[in-house]
mmCIF file with all atom_site columns, all heavy atoms in Angstrom:
data_model
loop_
_atom_site.group_PDB
_atom_site.id
_atom_site.type_symbol
_atom_site.label_atom_id
_atom_site.label_alt_id
_atom_site.label_comp_id
_atom_site.label_asym_id
_atom_site.label_entity_id
_atom_site.label_seq_id
_atom_site.pdbx_PDB_ins_code
_atom_site.Cartn_x
_atom_site.Cartn_y
_atom_site.Cartn_z
_atom_site.occupancy
_atom_site.B_iso_or_equiv
_atom_site.pdbx_formal_charge
_atom_site.auth_seq_id
_atom_site.auth_comp_id
_atom_site.auth_asym_id
_atom_site.auth_atom_id
_atom_site.pdbx_PDB_model_num
ATOM 1   N N   . ASP J 1 183 ? 36.643 -28.942 27.553 1.00 0.00 ? 183 ASP J N   1
ATOM 2   C CA  . ASP J 1 183 ? 36.446 -29.157 26.236 1.00 0.00 ? 183 ASP J CA  1
ATOM 3   C C   . ASP J 1 183 ? 35.029 -29.501 25.940 1.00 0.00 ? 183 ASP J C   1
ATOM 4   O O   . ASP J 1 183 ? 34.628 -30.599 26.267 1.00 0.00 ? 183 ASP J O   1
ATOM 5   C CB  . ASP J 1 183 ? 37.422 -30.310 25.696 1.00 0.00 ? 183 ASP J CB  1
ATOM 6   C CG  . ASP J 1 183 ? 37.302 -30.599 24.175 1.00 0.00 ? 183 ASP J CG  1
ATOM 7   O OD1 . ASP J 1 183 ? 36.521 -29.898 23.517 1.00 0.00 ? 183 ASP J OD1 1
ATOM 8   O OD2 . ASP J 1 183 ? 38.095 -31.348 23.673 1.00 0.00 ? 183 ASP J OD2 1
ATOM 9   N N   . PHE J 1 184 ? 34.162 -28.475 25.477 1.00 0.00 ? 184 PHE J N   1
ATOM 10  C CA  . PHE J 1 184 ? 32.868 -28.859 25.162 1.00 0.00 ? 184 PHE J CA  1
ATOM 11  C C   . PHE J 1 184 ? 32.578 -28.705 23.544 1.00 0.00 ? 184 PHE J C   1
ATOM 12  O O   . PHE J 1 184 ? 32.753 -27.634 23.114 1.00 0.00 ? 184 PHE J O   1
ATOM 13  C CB  . PHE J 1 184 ? 31.939 -27.804 25.865 1.00 0.00 ? 184 PHE J CB  1
ATOM 14  C CG  . PHE J 1 184 ? 30.458 -28.078 25.608 1.00 0.00 ? 184 PHE J CG  1
ATOM 15  C CD1 . PHE J 1 184 ? 29.801 -29.088 26.383 1.00 0.00 ? 184 PHE J CD1 1
ATOM 16  C CD2 . PHE J 1 184 ? 29.825 -27.414 24.549 1.00 0.00 ? 184 PHE J CD2 1
ATOM 17  C CE1 . PHE J 1 184 ? 28.481 -29.398 26.202 1.00 0.00 ? 184 PHE J CE1 1
ATOM 18  C CE2 . PHE J 1 184 ? 28.363 -27.657 24.376 1.00 0.00 ? 184 PHE J CE2 1
ATOM 19  C CZ  . PHE J 1 184 ? 27.755 -28.663 25.168 1.00 0.00 ? 184 PHE J CZ  1
ATOM 20  N N   . LYS J 1 185 ? 32.560 -29.938 23.108 1.00 0.00 ? 185 LYS J N   1
ATOM 21  C CA  . LYS J 1 185 ? 32.293 -30.009 21.588 1.00 0.00 ? 185 LYS J CA  1
ATOM 22  C C   . LYS J 1 185 ? 33.376 -29.202 20.837 1.00 0.00 ? 185 LYS J C   1
ATOM 23  O O   . LYS J 1 185 ? 32.962 -28.523 19.789 1.00 0.00 ? 185 LYS J O   1
ATOM 24  C CB  . LYS J 1 185 ? 30.910 -29.461 21.180 1.00 0.00 ? 185 LYS J CB  1
ATOM 25  C CG  . LYS J 1 185 ? 29.701 -30.485 21.820 1.00 0.00 ? 185 LYS J CG  1
ATOM 26  C CD  . LYS J 1 185 ? 28.283 -29.983 21.421 1.00 0.00 ? 185 LYS J CD  1
ATOM 27  C CE  . LYS J 1 185 ? 27.312 -30.878 22.011 1.00 0.00 ? 185 LYS J CE  1
ATOM 28  N NZ  . LYS J 1 185 ? 25.966 -30.490 21.666 1.00 0.00 ? 185 LYS J NZ  1
ATOM 29  N N   . GLY J 1 186 ? 34.507 -29.278 21.314 1.00 0.00 ? 186 GLY J N   1
ATOM 30  C CA  . GLY J 1 186 ? 35.665 -28.772 20.554 1.00 0.00 ? 186 GLY J CA  1
ATOM 31  C C   . GLY J 1 186 ? 36.022 -27.278 21.025 1.00 0.00 ? 186 GLY J C   1
ATOM 32  O O   . GLY J 1 186 ? 36.977 -26.773 20.573 1.00 0.00 ? 186 GLY J O   1
ATOM 33  N N   . MET J 1 187 ? 35.147 -26.759 21.849 1.00 0.00 ? 187 MET J N   1
ATOM 34  C CA  . MET J 1 187 ? 35.384 -25.384 22.388 1.00 0.00 ? 187 MET J CA  1
ATOM 35  C C   . MET J 1 187 ? 36.362 -25.530 23.611 1.00 0.00 ? 187 MET J C   1
ATOM 36  O O   . MET J 1 187 ? 35.864 -26.169 24.670 1.00 0.00 ? 187 MET J O   1
ATOM 37  C CB  . MET J 1 187 ? 34.012 -24.752 22.946 1.00 0.00 ? 187 MET J CB  1
ATOM 38  C CG  . MET J 1 187 ? 34.341 -23.478 23.669 1.00 0.00 ? 187 MET J CG  1
ATOM 39  S SD  . MET J 1 187 ? 34.987 -22.026 22.738 1.00 0.00 ? 187 MET J SD  1
ATOM 40  C CE  . MET J 1 187 ? 33.361 -21.507 21.954 1.00 0.00 ? 187 MET J CE  1
ATOM 41  N N   . ARG J 1 188 ? 37.526 -25.248 23.553 1.00 0.00 ? 188 ARG J N   1
ATOM 42  C CA  . ARG J 1 188 ? 38.507 -25.198 24.610 1.00 0.00 ? 188 ARG J CA  1
ATOM 43  C C   . ARG J 1 188 ? 38.618 -24.030 25.403 1.00 0.00 ? 188 ARG J C   1
ATOM 44  O O   . ARG J 1 188 ? 37.844 -23.064 25.089 1.00 0.00 ? 188 ARG J O   1
ATOM 45  C CB  . ARG J 1 188 ? 39.936 -25.628 24.029 1.00 0.00 ? 188 ARG J CB  1
ATOM 46  C CG  . ARG J 1 188 ? 40.005 -26.813 23.108 1.00 0.00 ? 188 ARG J CG  1
ATOM 47  C CD  . ARG J 1 188 ? 39.508 -28.028 23.811 1.00 0.00 ? 188 ARG J CD  1
ATOM 48  N NE  . ARG J 1 188 ? 40.238 -28.388 25.116 1.00 0.00 ? 188 ARG J NE  1
ATOM 49  C CZ  . ARG J 1 188 ? 41.416 -29.109 25.079 1.00 0.00 ? 188 ARG J CZ  1
ATOM 50  N NH1 . ARG J 1 188 ? 41.901 -29.669 24.107 1.00 0.00 ? 188 ARG J NH1 1
ATOM 51  N NH2 . ARG J 1 188 ? 42.026 -29.304 26.280 1.00 0.00 ? 188 ARG J NH2 1
ATOM 52  N N   . LEU J 1 189 ? 39.426 -24.032 26.345 1.00 0.00 ? 189 LEU J N   1
ATOM 53  C CA  . LEU J 1 189 ? 39.591 -22.888 27.315 1.00 0.00 ? 189 LEU J CA  1
ATOM 54  C C   . LEU J 1 189 ? 39.774 -21.585 26.617 1.00 0.00 ? 189 LEU J C   1
ATOM 55  O O   . LEU J 1 189 ? 39.300 -20.564 26.923 1.00 0.00 ? 189 LEU J O   1
ATOM 56  C CB  . LEU J 1 189 ? 40.579 -23.197 28.404 1.00 0.00 ? 189 LEU J CB  1
ATOM 57  C CG  . LEU J 1 189 ? 40.690 -22.155 29.430 1.00 0.00 ? 189 LEU J CG  1
ATOM 58  C CD1 . LEU J 1 189 ? 39.399 -21.849 30.215 1.00 0.00 ? 189 LEU J CD1 1
ATOM 59  C CD2 . LEU J 1 189 ? 41.803 -22.440 30.561 1.00 0.00 ? 189 LEU J CD2 1
ATOM 60  N N   . GLU J 1 190 ? 40.740 -21.585 25.552 1.00 0.00 ? 190 GLU J N   1
ATOM 61  C CA  . GLU J 1 190 ? 41.124 -20.514 24.877 1.00 0.00 ? 190 GLU J CA  1
ATOM 62  C C   . GLU J 1 190 ? 39.889 -19.704 24.227 1.00 0.00 ? 190 GLU J C   1
ATOM 63  O O   . GLU J 1 190 ? 39.622 -18.531 24.237 1.00 0.00 ? 190 GLU J O   1
ATOM 64  C CB  . GLU J 1 190 ? 42.064 -20.757 23.712 1.00 0.00 ? 190 GLU J CB  1
ATOM 65  C CG  . GLU J 1 190 ? 43.486 -21.177 24.254 1.00 0.00 ? 190 GLU J CG  1
ATOM 66  C CD  . GLU J 1 190 ? 44.371 -21.631 23.107 1.00 0.00 ? 190 GLU J CD  1
ATOM 67  O OE1 . GLU J 1 190 ? 44.265 -20.956 22.108 1.00 0.00 ? 190 GLU J OE1 1
ATOM 68  O OE2 . GLU J 1 190 ? 44.985 -22.593 23.354 1.00 0.00 ? 190 GLU J OE2 1
ATOM 69  N N   . GLY J 1 191 ? 39.040 -20.564 23.650 1.00 0.00 ? 191 GLY J N   1
ATOM 70  C CA  . GLY J 1 191 ? 37.742 -20.056 22.867 1.00 0.00 ? 191 GLY J CA  1
ATOM 71  C C   . GLY J 1 191 ? 36.887 -19.485 23.929 1.00 0.00 ? 191 GLY J C   1
ATOM 72  O O   . GLY J 1 191 ? 36.194 -18.432 23.702 1.00 0.00 ? 191 GLY J O   1
ATOM 73  N N   . LEU J 1 192 ? 36.592 -20.126 25.110 1.00 0.00 ? 192 LEU J N   1
ATOM 74  C CA  . LEU J 1 192 ? 35.734 -19.648 26.029 1.00 0.00 ? 192 LEU J CA  1
ATOM 75  C C   . LEU J 1 192 ? 36.206 -18.271 26.698 1.00 0.00 ? 192 LEU J C   1
ATOM 76  O O   . LEU J 1 192 ? 35.451 -17.405 26.802 1.00 0.00 ? 192 LEU J O   1
ATOM 77  C CB  . LEU J 1 192 ? 35.613 -20.611 27.204 1.00 0.00 ? 192 LEU J CB  1
ATOM 78  C CG  . LEU J 1 192 ? 34.659 -20.299 28.286 1.00 0.00 ? 192 LEU J CG  1
ATOM 79  C CD1 . LEU J 1 192 ? 33.261 -20.076 27.832 1.00 0.00 ? 192 LEU J CD1 1
ATOM 80  C CD2 . LEU J 1 192 ? 34.623 -21.223 29.395 1.00 0.00 ? 192 LEU J CD2 1
ATOM 81  N N   . LEU J 1 193 ? 37.522 -18.178 26.850 1.00 0.00 ? 193 LEU J N   1
ATOM 82  C CA  . LEU J 1 193 ? 38.222 -16.983 27.303 1.00 0.00 ? 193 LEU J CA  1
ATOM 83  C C   . LEU J 1 193 ? 37.844 -15.823 26.351 1.00 0.00 ? 193 LEU J C   1
ATOM 84  O O   . LEU J 1 193 ? 37.602 -14.644 26.716 1.00 0.00 ? 193 LEU J O   1
ATOM 85  C CB  . LEU J 1 193 ? 39.724 -17.104 27.484 1.00 0.00 ? 193 LEU J CB  1
ATOM 86  C CG  . LEU J 1 193 ? 40.140 -17.967 28.724 1.00 0.00 ? 193 LEU J CG  1
ATOM 87  C CD1 . LEU J 1 193 ? 41.589 -18.263 28.569 1.00 0.00 ? 193 LEU J CD1 1
ATOM 88  C CD2 . LEU J 1 193 ? 39.896 -17.082 29.979 1.00 0.00 ? 193 LEU J CD2 1
ATOM 89  N N   . ALA J 1 194 ? 38.104 -16.127 24.918 1.00 0.00 ? 194 ALA J N   1
ATOM 90  C CA  . ALA J 1 194 ? 37.834 -15.106 23.989 1.00 0.00 ? 194 ALA J CA  1
ATOM 91  C C   . ALA J 1 194 ? 36.456 -14.596 23.981 1.00 0.00 ? 194 ALA J C   1
ATOM 92  O O   . ALA J 1 194 ? 36.151 -13.339 23.920 1.00 0.00 ? 194 ALA J O   1
ATOM 93  C CB  . ALA J 1 194 ? 38.148 -15.677 22.599 1.00 0.00 ? 194 ALA J CB  1
ATOM 94  N N   . ARG J 1 195 ? 35.520 -15.475 24.140 1.00 0.00 ? 195 ARG J N   1
ATOM 95  C CA  . ARG J 1 195 ? 34.075 -15.036 24.204 1.00 0.00 ? 195 ARG J CA  1
ATOM 96  C C   . ARG J 1 195 ? 33.781 -14.186 25.421 1.00 0.00 ? 195 ARG J C   1
ATOM 97  O O   . ARG J 1 195 ? 32.996 -13.218 25.464 1.00 0.00 ? 195 ARG J O   1
ATOM 98  C CB  . ARG J 1 195 ? 33.143 -16.204 24.078 1.00 0.00 ? 195 ARG J CB  1
ATOM 99  C CG  . ARG J 1 195 ? 33.248 -16.830 22.703 1.00 0.00 ? 195 ARG J CG  1
ATOM 100 C CD  . ARG J 1 195 ? 32.054 -17.783 22.360 1.00 0.00 ? 195 ARG J CD  1
ATOM 101 N NE  . ARG J 1 195 ? 30.815 -17.102 22.632 1.00 0.00 ? 195 ARG J NE  1
ATOM 102 C CZ  . ARG J 1 195 ? 29.573 -17.664 22.381 1.00 0.00 ? 195 ARG J CZ  1
ATOM 103 N NH1 . ARG J 1 195 ? 29.529 -19.007 22.190 1.00 0.00 ? 195 ARG J NH1 1
ATOM 104 N NH2 . ARG J 1 195 ? 28.490 -17.009 22.487 1.00 0.00 ? 195 ARG J NH2 1
ATOM 105 N N   . LEU J 1 196 ? 34.392 -14.712 26.654 1.00 0.00 ? 196 LEU J N   1
ATOM 106 C CA  . LEU J 1 196 ? 34.035 -13.854 27.799 1.00 0.00 ? 196 LEU J CA  1
ATOM 107 C C   . LEU J 1 196 ? 34.616 -12.505 27.789 1.00 0.00 ? 196 LEU J C   1
ATOM 108 O O   . LEU J 1 196 ? 34.034 -11.519 28.310 1.00 0.00 ? 196 LEU J O   1
ATOM 109 C CB  . LEU J 1 196 ? 34.741 -14.585 29.004 1.00 0.00 ? 196 LEU J CB  1
ATOM 110 C CG  . LEU J 1 196 ? 33.975 -16.019 29.490 1.00 0.00 ? 196 LEU J CG  1
ATOM 111 C CD1 . LEU J 1 196 ? 34.839 -16.751 30.362 1.00 0.00 ? 196 LEU J CD1 1
ATOM 112 C CD2 . LEU J 1 196 ? 32.620 -15.570 30.180 1.00 0.00 ? 196 LEU J CD2 1
ATOM 113 N N   . ILE J 1 197 ? 35.876 -12.349 27.351 1.00 0.00 ? 197 ILE J N   1
ATOM 114 C CA  . ILE J 1 197 ? 36.471 -11.016 27.130 1.00 0.00 ? 197 ILE J CA  1
ATOM 115 C C   . ILE J 1 197 ? 35.590 -10.024 26.169 1.00 0.00 ? 197 ILE J C   1
ATOM 116 O O   . ILE J 1 197 ? 35.422 -8.994  26.353 1.00 0.00 ? 197 ILE J O   1
ATOM 117 C CB  . ILE J 1 197 ? 37.891 -11.202 26.503 1.00 0.00 ? 197 ILE J CB  1
ATOM 118 C CG1 . ILE J 1 197 ? 38.854 -11.741 27.623 1.00 0.00 ? 197 ILE J CG1 1
ATOM 119 C CG2 . ILE J 1 197 ? 38.391 -9.861  26.113 1.00 0.00 ? 197 ILE J CG2 1
ATOM 120 C CD1 . ILE J 1 197 ? 38.978 -10.830 28.875 1.00 0.00 ? 197 ILE J CD1 1
ATOM 121 N N   . ASP J 1 198 ? 35.075 -10.704 25.189 1.00 0.00 ? 198 ASP J N   1
ATOM 122 C CA  . ASP J 1 198 ? 34.147 -9.876  24.243 1.00 0.00 ? 198 ASP J CA  1
ATOM 123 C C   . ASP J 1 198 ? 32.870 -9.533  24.796 1.00 0.00 ? 198 ASP J C   1
ATOM 124 O O   . ASP J 1 198 ? 32.422 -8.409  24.507 1.00 0.00 ? 198 ASP J O   1
ATOM 125 C CB  . ASP J 1 198 ? 34.109 -10.766 22.951 1.00 0.00 ? 198 ASP J CB  1
ATOM 126 C CG  . ASP J 1 198 ? 33.337 -9.988  21.829 1.00 0.00 ? 198 ASP J CG  1
ATOM 127 O OD1 . ASP J 1 198 ? 33.866 -8.937  21.504 1.00 0.00 ? 198 ASP J OD1 1
ATOM 128 O OD2 . ASP J 1 198 ? 32.377 -10.627 21.291 1.00 0.00 ? 198 ASP J OD2 1
ATOM 129 N N   . GLU J 1 199 ? 32.292 -10.412 25.579 1.00 0.00 ? 199 GLU J N   1
ATOM 130 C CA  . GLU J 1 199 ? 30.897 -10.286 26.048 1.00 0.00 ? 199 GLU J CA  1
ATOM 131 C C   . GLU J 1 199 ? 30.779 -9.546  27.454 1.00 0.00 ? 199 GLU J C   1
ATOM 132 O O   . GLU J 1 199 ? 29.646 -9.293  27.822 1.00 0.00 ? 199 GLU J O   1
ATOM 133 C CB  . GLU J 1 199 ? 30.117 -11.561 25.951 1.00 0.00 ? 199 GLU J CB  1
ATOM 134 C CG  . GLU J 1 199 ? 30.157 -12.078 24.457 1.00 0.00 ? 199 GLU J CG  1
ATOM 135 C CD  . GLU J 1 199 ? 29.353 -13.403 24.422 1.00 0.00 ? 199 GLU J CD  1
ATOM 136 O OE1 . GLU J 1 199 ? 28.311 -13.595 25.111 1.00 0.00 ? 199 GLU J OE1 1
ATOM 137 O OE2 . GLU J 1 199 ? 29.653 -14.193 23.504 1.00 0.00 ? 199 GLU J OE2 1
ATOM 138 N N   . LEU J 1 200 ? 31.903 -9.454  28.096 1.00 0.00 ? 200 LEU J N   1
ATOM 139 C CA  . LEU J 1 200 ? 31.911 -8.880  29.514 1.00 0.00 ? 200 LEU J CA  1
ATOM 140 C C   . LEU J 1 200 ? 32.904 -7.753  29.435 1.00 0.00 ? 200 LEU J C   1
ATOM 141 O O   . LEU J 1 200 ? 33.890 -7.789  29.950 1.00 0.00 ? 200 LEU J O   1
ATOM 142 C CB  . LEU J 1 200 ? 32.266 -9.803  30.526 1.00 0.00 ? 200 LEU J CB  1
ATOM 143 C CG  . LEU J 1 200 ? 31.463 -11.209 30.610 1.00 0.00 ? 200 LEU J CG  1
ATOM 144 C CD1 . LEU J 1 200 ? 31.935 -11.998 31.741 1.00 0.00 ? 200 LEU J CD1 1
ATOM 145 C CD2 . LEU J 1 200 ? 29.945 -11.033 30.684 1.00 0.00 ? 200 LEU J CD2 1
ATOM 146 N N   . PRO J 1 201 ? 32.528 -6.598  28.807 1.00 0.00 ? 201 PRO J N   1
ATOM 147 C CA  . PRO J 1 201 ? 33.555 -5.589  28.424 1.00 0.00 ? 201 PRO J CA  1
ATOM 148 C C   . PRO J 1 201 ? 34.135 -4.894  29.618 1.00 0.00 ? 201 PRO J C   1
ATOM 149 O O   . PRO J 1 201 ? 35.270 -4.282  29.535 1.00 0.00 ? 201 PRO J O   1
ATOM 150 C CB  . PRO J 1 201 ? 32.756 -4.563  27.606 1.00 0.00 ? 201 PRO J CB  1
ATOM 151 C CG  . PRO J 1 201 ? 31.305 -4.836  27.930 1.00 0.00 ? 201 PRO J CG  1
ATOM 152 C CD  . PRO J 1 201 ? 31.196 -6.274  28.205 1.00 0.00 ? 201 PRO J CD  1
ATOM 153 N N   . GLU J 1 202 ? 33.523 -4.874  30.844 1.00 0.00 ? 202 GLU J N   1
ATOM 154 C CA  . GLU J 1 202 ? 34.079 -4.076  31.992 1.00 0.00 ? 202 GLU J CA  1
ATOM 155 C C   . GLU J 1 202 ? 34.513 -5.068  33.086 1.00 0.00 ? 202 GLU J C   1
ATOM 156 O O   . GLU J 1 202 ? 34.744 -4.528  34.157 1.00 0.00 ? 202 GLU J O   1
ATOM 157 C CB  . GLU J 1 202 ? 32.983 -3.170  32.457 1.00 0.00 ? 202 GLU J CB  1
ATOM 158 C CG  . GLU J 1 202 ? 32.700 -2.037  31.442 1.00 0.00 ? 202 GLU J CG  1
ATOM 159 C CD  . GLU J 1 202 ? 31.547 -1.038  31.979 1.00 0.00 ? 202 GLU J CD  1
ATOM 160 O OE1 . GLU J 1 202 ? 31.377 -1.061  33.222 1.00 0.00 ? 202 GLU J OE1 1
ATOM 161 O OE2 . GLU J 1 202 ? 31.075 -0.292  31.155 1.00 0.00 ? 202 GLU J OE2 1
ATOM 162 N N   . ALA J 1 203 ? 34.557 -6.295  32.775 1.00 0.00 ? 203 ALA J N   1
ATOM 163 C CA  . ALA J 1 203 ? 34.978 -7.212  33.837 1.00 0.00 ? 203 ALA J CA  1
ATOM 164 C C   . ALA J 1 203 ? 36.336 -7.721  33.394 1.00 0.00 ? 203 ALA J C   1
ATOM 165 O O   . ALA J 1 203 ? 36.862 -7.811  32.228 1.00 0.00 ? 203 ALA J O   1
ATOM 166 C CB  . ALA J 1 203 ? 34.032 -8.443  33.934 1.00 0.00 ? 203 ALA J CB  1
ATOM 167 N N   . ARG J 1 204 ? 37.036 -8.418  34.415 1.00 0.00 ? 204 ARG J N   1
ATOM 168 C CA  . ARG J 1 204 ? 38.290 -9.204  34.170 1.00 0.00 ? 204 ARG J CA  1
ATOM 169 C C   . ARG J 1 204 ? 37.954 -10.641 34.450 1.00 0.00 ? 204 ARG J C   1
ATOM 170 O O   . ARG J 1 204 ? 37.066 -10.914 35.327 1.00 0.00 ? 204 ARG J O   1
ATOM 171 C CB  . ARG J 1 204 ? 39.476 -8.681  35.064 1.00 0.00 ? 204 ARG J CB  1
ATOM 172 C CG  . ARG J 1 204 ? 39.484 -8.790  36.586 1.00 0.00 ? 204 ARG J CG  1
ATOM 173 C CD  . ARG J 1 204 ? 40.575 -8.281  37.214 1.00 0.00 ? 204 ARG J CD  1
ATOM 174 N NE  . ARG J 1 204 ? 40.580 -8.456  38.647 1.00 0.00 ? 204 ARG J NE  1
ATOM 175 C CZ  . ARG J 1 204 ? 41.304 -7.887  39.577 1.00 0.00 ? 204 ARG J CZ  1
ATOM 176 N NH1 . ARG J 1 204 ? 42.130 -6.909  39.198 1.00 0.00 ? 204 ARG J NH1 1
ATOM 177 N NH2 . ARG J 1 204 ? 41.340 -8.231  40.914 1.00 0.00 ? 204 ARG J NH2 1
ATOM 178 N N   . ILE J 1 205 ? 38.766 -11.391 33.891 1.00 0.00 ? 205 ILE J N   1
ATOM 179 C CA  . ILE J 1 205 ? 38.563 -12.923 34.011 1.00 0.00 ? 205 ILE J CA  1
ATOM 180 C C   . ILE J 1 205 ? 39.922 -13.436 34.685 1.00 0.00 ? 205 ILE J C   1
ATOM 181 O O   . ILE J 1 205 ? 40.974 -13.154 34.262 1.00 0.00 ? 205 ILE J O   1
ATOM 182 C CB  . ILE J 1 205 ? 38.296 -13.605 32.608 1.00 0.00 ? 205 ILE J CB  1
ATOM 183 C CG1 . ILE J 1 205 ? 37.358 -12.800 31.731 1.00 0.00 ? 205 ILE J CG1 1
ATOM 184 C CG2 . ILE J 1 205 ? 38.002 -15.129 32.856 1.00 0.00 ? 205 ILE J CG2 1
ATOM 185 C CD1 . ILE J 1 205 ? 35.910 -12.724 32.460 1.00 0.00 ? 205 ILE J CD1 1
#
Side-chain angles (χ1 to χ4, degrees):
D183 186 352
F184 183 79
K185 296 182 178 179
M187 171 71 81
R188 302 302 303 268
L189 183 58
E190 292 173 43
L192 182 59
L193 284 168
R195 291 195 61 183
L196 287 166
I197 288 298
D198 184 53
E199 298 183 33
L200 310 181
E202 296 179 14
R204 70 184 183 192
I205 311 302

